[in-house]
Amino acid sequence: MTSHFLLLVFFAVCVATVMAVLQKDDRAGQVRLALYIAGGFIGAALVLGWVMYPLPL
């Protein structure tokens, strides 16, 4: 069974790659932007998960 975190990372990398390819023309810019976007997605998910953890269901 795949963990939620690995699925989150996979989704973030896929979306970040597509967004970077659409936004930048050069390869170095695409890689830099994709890493920046993926890091932002993963970081935001971790922070939001940590903030929402103590909230009741």
Side-chain angles (χ1 to χ4, degrees), residues 2-57:
T2 308
S3 71
H4 286 95
F5 183 71
L6 290 178
L7 290 174
L8 168 88
V9 170
F10 177 71
F11 179 75
V13 169
C14 289
V15 171
T17 302
V18 171
M19 289 175 68
V21 168
L22 292 175
Q23 292 294 320
K24 297 290 182 176
D25 291 330
D26 60 326
R27 177 74 62 165
Q30 291 173 349
V31 171
R32 194 176 319 114
L33 183 60
L35 291 174
Y36 181 75
I37 293 172
F41 282 160
I42 295 167
L46 290 175
V47 168
L48 286 173
W50 180 74
V51 167
M52 292 188 324
Y53 181 72
L55 297 176
L57 294 175

